[in-house]
Amino acid sequence: MRVTAAVLRHVATARPYDRHQPLELTDLELDEPGPGEVLVRVKAAGLCHSDLSTIDGNRPRPTPMALGHEVAGEVVGLGSEDSLLRVGDHVIATFVPSCGHCHPCRDGRPALCEPGAVANSLGELLSGGVRLHEPGGGRVNHHLGVSGFSDHIVVSERSLVAIDPGLPWEVAALFGCAVLTGVGAVVNSAGVRMGQSLVIFGLGGVGLSALLGAMAVGANPILVVDPMAGKRELALQLGASHALDATADVVEQIKDATGGGADHALETVGAPSVLAQAFSATRRGGVTTTVGLPAPSAQLTVAPLTLTAEERVLQGSYMGSSVPAIDIPRFIGLHQAGRLPVDKLLTHRLTLSELNEGFERLARAEAIRQVVVFD
């Protein structure tokens, strides 16, 4: 079938993106779903820093690539009669397909699926190859197995989770990346407990989702760090106890506010200097968790003695260390119960033709979560 998708043909070397237009709306041929695959009519797709890091080359991906990975939509076709999904199901896409058979999957860690990681790096679906082509036959790569800035997509059913059909599309999309990553990092990776102190560095969609997750589990106090005054104000409205300007000496402020350092620090920026700050802001025995995605060449220096003598922990979190089939429904349940007000993170609703303007807005840190809404 013929679809319209946003395609990145080359890494964007010039900004602003609203002028240079790195994403090109292109008519492509979409193959029918094969065994284990599903055809989805996209209803909403969020703009994420993982998309932006592909556009600016910070996370190199094979081009041309149809971007977009934070997606909610409706199943309209099945490639297998024995699929667990049904036509008409409302679904959310996750950015790592889980094969269910490799060691991490069998160990309950689908975010680290090995075949899924290989497929994502190649720009392919889990079953191999691509389903998007130029009208002349040229290959167009998939973004994280999804390529959601398109009216229809073919994805592995291992990338999809069925959800409550009562959830608005533009809110549902956020659960596939921002919420899964941010809330998951707090409750799964870090295991923050009621009454423990937490400092969050970076207040994008993931950082603010983490704040909501921290509120849900009863962390206290909750400190946030960001250079943007508007984001700090929103964080205070959402329940943060302290909002610190990232341009100041925040480490000492955090230690003063927490009586020597936070129990937990969460870094969402993807900058080694910020991660070093986060690690320094924890107390003896503190845990620092990073979800940021720095450039592959970036390095971090940590005094090894602090890991032993002070029992500090430095760990990564990918996709919130989540099991999407379990965590997405439970996070949605918390939202519907009023404990995860994810809708407050949605700042802009866009059309597909406004993507480049949206990514320039994201690059300027002038938005929290923007969502393309399809008719």
Side-chain angles (χ1 to χ4, degrees):
M1 66 183 295
R2 185 67 62 94
V3 299
T4 300
V7 177
L8 178 72
R9 299 196 178 278
H10 307 285
V11 170
T13 57
R15 286 182 54 203
Y17 297 138
D18 52 350
R19 181 188 307 167
H20 293 281
Q21 304 279 306
L23 293 178
E24 173 188 320
L25 293 188
T26 305
D27 288 339
L28 300 175
E29 294 295 334
L30 179 65
D31 295 341
E32 293 295 319
E37 297 172 355
V38 177
L39 175 65
V40 175
R41 178 186 292 116
V42 178
K43 305 298 285 189
L47 281 65
C48 176
H49 271 90
S50 294
D51 305 304
L52 184 60
S53 65
T54 300
I55 293 171
D56 65 18
N58 193 47
R59 299 286 293 174
R61 301 284 182 184
T63 54
M65 175 170 280
L67 289 194
H69 66 282
E70 188 179 72
V71 166
E74 180 184 358
V75 174
V76 293
L78 302 171
S80 302
E81 293 183 359
D82 60 351
S83 174
L84 295 177
L85 296 169
R86 296 291 179 263
V87 171
D89 280 351
H90 289 204
V91 291
I92 288 173
T94 63
F95 57 91
V96 180
S98 169
C99 73
H101 306 295
C102 68
H103 183 272
C105 285
R106 287 186 284 108
D107 198 36
R109 306 181 74 183
L112 302 181
C113 175
E114 293 164 346
V118 171
N120 282 357
S121 68
L122 294 174
E124 299 182 349
L125 296 189
L126 184 63
S127 53
V130 301
R131 308 296 176 266
L132 288 168
H133 310 277
E134 305 278 6
R139 166 186 172 128
V140 177
N141 295 291
H142 296 280
H143 185 220
L144 301 177
V146 182
S147 294
F149 296 139
S150 174
D151 51 280
H152 289 77
I153 56 176
V154 167
V155 295
S156 168
E157 63 180 12
R158 296 283 188 164
S159 294
L160 299 174
V161 176
I163 62 166
D164 183 342
L167 194 65
W169 293 116
E170 63 267 32
V171 176
L174 306 185
F175 284 86
C177 181
V179 177
L180 193 64
T181 299
V183 178
V186 170
V187 302
N188 295 328
S189 308
V192 178
R193 302 193 307 272
M194 181 183 296
Q196 288 189 313
S197 55
L198 168 68
V199 56
I200 301 168
F201 286 78
L203 294 176
V206 171
L208 285 168
S209 293
L211 169 59
L212 297 180
M215 292 292 298
V217 300
N220 184 60
I222 304 172
L223 300 87
V224 296
V225 181
D226 196 275
M228 304 294 289
K231 292 183 176 182
R232 297 197 301 272
E233 178 59 32
L234 175 58
L236 290 172
Q237 294 173 15
L238 293 175
S241 55
H242 303 70
L244 309 180
D245 187 345
T247 62
D249 182 7
V250 296
V251 172
E252 290 306 314
Q253 293 183 61
I254 293 165
K255 288 182 177 180
D256 288 343
T258 57
D263 296 309
H264 290 273
L266 177 64
E267 188 273 332
T268 74
V269 180
S273 60
V274 178
L275 181 55
Q277 278 187 312
F279 186 76
S280 298
T282 57
R283 66 174 69 250
R284 292 167 62 89
V287 177
T288 302
T289 304
T290 177
V291 304
L293 291 172
S297 60
Q299 299 291 315
L300 174 71
T301 299
V302 173
L305 181 62
T306 61
L307 302 177
T308 303
E310 299 180 9
E311 287 195 358
R312 296 198 195 197
V313 175
L314 176 60
Q315 64 179 4
S317 172
Y318 195 53
M319 205 168 72
S321 304
S322 297
V323 179
I326 296 173
D327 287 321
I328 287 177
R330 72 170 175 148
F331 293 164
I332 289 175
L334 286 173
H335 167 71
Q336 293 173 326
R339 296 182 61 190
L340 278 179
V342 172
D343 53 300
K344 294 183 179 180
L345 307 185
L346 181 56
T347 56
H348 298 78
R349 291 170 174 82
L350 312 177
T351 64
L352 198 59
S353 63
E354 296 173 314
L355 270 176
N356 287 299
E357 290 83 353
F359 277 112
E360 178 59 27
R361 192 179 295 116
L362 183 60
R364 292 175 178 170
E366 295 174 352
I368 304 300
R369 223 45 174 190
Q370 306 171 87
V371 174
V372 174
V373 179
F374 294 79
D375 293 333

